[in-house]
Amino acid sequence: MSVKNRTSLATRVIHSGHEPDPATGAVVPPLYTATTYVQDGIGKNRGYDYSRSGNPTRQRVEACLADLENAQAAFVFPSGLSAASTMLATLKPGAKIVAHEDLYGGVYRLLAQVGPAMSGCKVDLVDFCDIDALTTAAKGADLLWFETPSNPLLKIVDLTAVAKIAREVDAITVCDSTFASPCGQLPLDHGIDVVMHSATKFLGGHSDLLGGVLSVSENAKDGLADRIGYLQNALGAVMCPSDCALLLRSLRTLALRVERQTTSAAFLAEKLTANAADLGIAEVIYPGLATHPGHTIATRQMSNFGALISLRLMGGLDRVERVLTATHLFHFAVSLGSVESLIQHPASLTHAAVAEEHREKISIGNDLIRLSVGCEDTADLAADLEAAFSQR
Ligand code: PLP
């Protein structure tokens, strides 16, 4: 039973998909590991025949995610990139994709390198914050693909404006909402067709599972959700049942985790900004700062400003490396959204696959570092950063 539209997100993360097991009353649903199901006759079964085509544990986590996003349906995949490649497989060969210029390096590689080689799609990279440029580029497009906030520059894209442009040219919109989580924004409510997540990040939240999600709007083109479901099975891109159960369990604390993480991030961004000169910081990038170019749009479409902060450091690559290895609570590691805080260097890690000219064009330089704020005590995190940045 869905609790959609009757309760707040903080309640839904705990109850949706977590309804007690009808057979036993267990308040935690059983994990179905079976790969195959006994058939009662030809064409007669109890809803399942083979686990790739349907699995009760996967159905529960998909029902929960669809409910959180206000979607008609959600599909879970073995990784965020698997979700993205399944979405690309819905397109006709030679399709035109217009993508935001600031994207996670792996998605950039998929769109700019792998997609064109596999399906002949054409990909234009434009700044989705420049609405005039996007309007021009979108002519003849089949798909508009973007992240907001984007990785790693935390650019904010106007969801309603993109949805409007897409409707005018009859293109499908995909918003990668990984950096916001459903607790930060609900892109489908702003007219976007498909919301994507790397469930590896906030949704899983503990750096112990890989996963991806596509959730499809009630208002998306007829047949799109069915096509994604068909391809999930046909391509074999399914999340394994034990990860589905782990994800369903992790989602129960999503609202609590994100509230803590985003409150701490807002505090740290203000503090780092106030002490930037002393800490050798040239720029603090955080959508919650009034100086951020996307602050007004973020205030309108987000319920918090996220748990990611990007910084430009003074002092060259040597100093950047010293800072990256000097923090104790912020682990120097890729990924984000977990309970533990992380610090990383996009140019050499998450965005190493991005062509050097493109990195230069959009200013992902060696001076840029990215923080993912976890659930630790805020004052402890502030002290950790201050100690690392103060070392000269
Ligand atoms: N989208 C964004 C914004 C990401 O940051 C990532 C990974 O960092 C992905 C997609 C890819 O997800 P995964 O690593 O789960 O394949």
Side-chain angles (χ1 to χ4, degrees), residues 2 31 77 117 184 201 219-220 288 368:
S2 166
L31 161 55
F77 299 87
K201 318 302 181 197
N219 302 318
L368 188 76

mmCIF file of all heavy atoms in Angstrom, residues 2 31 77 117 184 201 219-220 288 368:
data_model
loop_
_atom_site.group_PDB
_atom_site.id
_atom_site.type_symbol
_atom_site.label_atom_id
_atom_site.label_comp_id
_atom_site.label_asym_id
_atom_site.label_seq_id
_atom_site.Cartn_x
_atom_site.Cartn_y
_atom_site.Cartn_z
ATOM 1 N N SER A 2 0.625 2.147 -0.930
ATOM 2 C CA SER A 2 1.444 3.354 -1.012
ATOM 3 C C SER A 2 0.967 4.394 -0.007
ATOM 4 O O SER A 2 -0.226 4.535 0.235
ATOM 5 C CB SER A 2 1.354 3.911 -2.424
ATOM 6 O OG SER A 2 1.861 5.215 -2.447
ATOM 7 N N LEU A 31 13.974 -11.097 2.563
ATOM 8 C CA LEU A 31 14.876 -10.953 1.412
ATOM 9 C C LEU A 31 14.712 -12.204 0.544
ATOM 10 O O LEU A 31 14.979 -13.319 1.000
ATOM 11 C CB LEU A 31 16.321 -10.812 1.925
ATOM 12 C CG LEU A 31 17.477 -11.078 0.961
ATOM 13 C CD1 LEU A 31 17.377 -10.224 -0.291
ATOM 14 C CD2 LEU A 31 18.804 -10.828 1.669
ATOM 15 N N PHE A 77 19.081 -0.360 -10.668
ATOM 16 C CA PHE A 77 20.129 -0.909 -11.531
ATOM 17 C C PHE A 77 21.368 -1.194 -10.673
ATOM 18 O O PHE A 77 21.491 -0.671 -9.564
ATOM 19 C CB PHE A 77 20.453 0.114 -12.639
ATOM 20 C CG PHE A 77 19.272 0.420 -13.511
ATOM 21 C CD1 PHE A 77 18.356 1.417 -13.155
ATOM 22 C CD2 PHE A 77 19.033 -0.316 -14.663
ATOM 23 C CE1 PHE A 77 17.240 1.677 -13.942
ATOM 24 C CE2 PHE A 77 17.919 -0.060 -15.457
ATOM 25 C CZ PHE A 77 17.023 0.942 -15.099
ATOM 26 N N ALA A 117 29.965 5.910 -30.022
ATOM 27 C CA ALA A 117 30.568 4.730 -30.653
ATOM 28 C C ALA A 117 29.564 3.587 -30.745
ATOM 29 O O ALA A 117 29.552 2.825 -31.706
ATOM 30 C CB ALA A 117 31.805 4.289 -29.861
ATOM 31 N N GLY A 184 16.270 16.662 -1.138
ATOM 32 C CA GLY A 184 16.728 17.998 -1.526
ATOM 33 C C GLY A 184 15.898 18.616 -2.632
ATOM 34 O O GLY A 184 15.708 19.827 -2.679
ATOM 35 N N LYS A 201 25.317 6.844 -3.619
ATOM 36 C CA LYS A 201 25.613 8.065 -2.843
ATOM 37 C C LYS A 201 24.627 8.214 -1.676
ATOM 38 O O LYS A 201 24.605 7.378 -0.808
ATOM 39 C CB LYS A 201 25.603 9.281 -3.771
ATOM 40 C CG LYS A 201 26.287 9.040 -5.124
ATOM 41 C CD LYS A 201 27.730 8.621 -4.977
ATOM 42 C CE LYS A 201 28.342 8.438 -6.365
ATOM 43 N NZ LYS A 201 29.575 7.675 -6.365
ATOM 44 N N ASN A 219 3.723 12.149 -16.155
ATOM 45 C CA ASN A 219 3.484 12.952 -17.367
ATOM 46 C C ASN A 219 4.463 12.653 -18.500
ATOM 47 O O ASN A 219 4.441 13.334 -19.526
ATOM 48 C CB ASN A 219 3.574 14.446 -17.019
ATOM 49 C CG ASN A 219 2.585 14.810 -15.941
ATOM 50 O OD1 ASN A 219 1.455 14.347 -15.975
ATOM 51 N ND2 ASN A 219 3.017 15.591 -14.962
ATOM 52 N N ALA A 220 5.349 11.683 -18.298
ATOM 53 C CA ALA A 220 6.295 11.344 -19.376
ATOM 54 C C ALA A 220 5.534 10.726 -20.549
ATOM 55 O O ALA A 220 4.384 10.302 -20.403
ATOM 56 C CB ALA A 220 7.341 10.369 -18.851
ATOM 57 N N GLY A 288 24.099 27.365 -1.208
ATOM 58 C CA GLY A 288 23.443 28.059 -0.102
ATOM 59 C C GLY A 288 24.016 29.445 0.164
ATOM 60 O O GLY A 288 23.409 30.230 0.911
ATOM 61 N N LEU A 368 40.981 22.796 -7.650
ATOM 62 C CA LEU A 368 39.617 22.502 -7.168
ATOM 63 C C LEU A 368 39.590 21.235 -6.314
ATOM 64 O O LEU A 368 40.098 20.191 -6.737
ATOM 65 C CB LEU A 368 38.689 22.317 -8.377
ATOM 66 C CG LEU A 368 37.201 22.185 -8.054
ATOM 67 C CD1 LEU A 368 36.586 23.543 -7.700
ATOM 68 C CD2 LEU A 368 36.434 21.583 -9.246
#
